[in-house]
Amino acid sequence: MANVSVYNMEGKEVGSIELNDAIFGVEVNEHLVHLAVVQQLADRRQGTQKAKTRSEVSGGGRKPWRQKGTGHARQGSTRAPQWTGGGVVFAPVPRDYSFKLNKKEKRAALKSALSDKVQTGNIVVVDELKFDEIKTKKFAEVMNNLKATRKALVVIADNDEKVTRSAHNLPEVRTALTNTINVYDIVNAKTLVLTKDAVSKIEEVYC
């Protein structure tokens, strides 16, 4: 089992914790991680882009000029793609970009993403995150103490409004609950910050 240090909010080491190898010590499957990220981003796409083809553009029913004898190239409609105001050749149409990954693949991808953070040393475990009031400045100080100021994902076990709202105005910090973590957010974060309770909950759910 991987053994990582546990820090307090002042950034001082206060102990250590053993991470379950079944979640934080698996062999990283880059292909599954890639699929999970693509699937999540595809789900976010609206798919509402639309343009009209020549059959949908109004007008252009009459042939603009006779077939021969004008010196012009032959034309059948002013709504053809080469005309201004004409239709689009391969016009985009509304579509659903989403696709499915099965449950085992999603779990394996999440475990791979978590394991990669451990292997690269980009994981920080903090004993707890407790604030007396909603204060962005205090949260920023904690992130600075933990050396997690750039693109940090902070995962907490239970919804704590004082924590989530304190982090809300920090552009480089995202917060998540253990039941809302996903592969994209983990991969996109430079540093993964977990509370001890969050580690326990993740191990409980995904073991």
Side-chain angles (χ1 to χ4, degrees):
M1 289 190 176
N3 197 297
V4 298
S5 300
V6 177
Y7 299 90
N8 60 18
M9 289 170 59
E10 285 73 44
K12 296 176 182 176
E13 190 174 334
V14 292
S16 63
I17 186 173
E18 284 192 345
L19 301 177
N20 194 323
D21 282 346
I23 298 169
F24 295 96
V26 303
E27 185 180 345
V28 178
N29 188 326
E30 292 183 7
H31 176 64
L32 274 184
V33 172
H34 171 73
L35 276 181
V37 170
V38 171
Q39 188 247 352
Q40 192 175 334
L41 294 179
D43 281 351
R44 294 182 183 182
R45 296 185 70 172
Q46 285 185 311
T48 54
Q49 188 182 15
K50 175 73 174 79
K52 291 182 178 180
T53 62
R54 63 183 294 170
S55 65
E56 296 169 315
V57 179
S58 62
R62 185 174 65 87
K63 189 173 172 67
W65 50 74
R66 66 180 190 270
Q67 182 82 343
K68 295 177 178 291
T70 63
H72 296 298
R74 55 195 174 188
Q75 300 290 334
S77 169
T78 56
R79 301 298 88 175
Q82 71 270 21
W83 285 74
T84 300
V88 178
V89 181
F90 298 113
V93 294
R95 54 167 288 195
D96 180 12
Y97 289 92
S98 65
F99 62 93
K100 283 192 173 183
L101 280 182
N102 65 46
K103 199 171 183 178
K104 284 185 178 179
E105 287 176 323
K106 285 184 177 179
R107 284 202 165 206
L110 186 66
K111 290 176 182 180
S112 288
L114 291 170
S115 297
D116 180 66
K117 284 289 183 261
V118 175
Q119 292 171 17
T120 56
N122 291 320
I123 189 168
V124 176
V125 179
V126 60
D127 58 350
E128 63 174 359
L129 286 174
K130 292 287 183 184
F131 294 94
D132 297 327
E133 58 181 335
I134 298 168
K135 201 76 174 176
T136 301
K137 187 177 180 181
K138 287 185 178 179
F139 196 96
E141 285 176 5
V142 172
M143 291 294 101
N144 192 48
N145 293 338
L146 297 173
K147 296 181 175 61
T149 53
R150 285 190 64 244
K151 293 190 81 171
L153 175 65
V154 180
V155 182
I156 54 179
D158 301 302
N159 191 15
D160 187 336
E161 190 181 17
K162 290 176 182 176
V163 174
T164 54
R165 289 187 62 185
S166 293
H168 187 69
N169 284 333
L170 295 173
E172 292 286 317
V173 177
R174 288 177 63 89
T175 58
L177 300 176
T178 50
N179 61 348
T180 63
I181 56 173
N182 58 74
V183 176
Y184 175 75
D185 285 344
I186 295 171
V187 170
N188 193 45
K190 182 174 176 63
T191 307
L192 178 63
V193 179
L194 299 166
T195 63
K196 281 182 71 175
D197 289 343
V199 171
S200 300
K201 211 162 191 179
I202 289 171
E203 291 181 343
E204 181 186 330
V205 171
Y206 292 101
C207 266

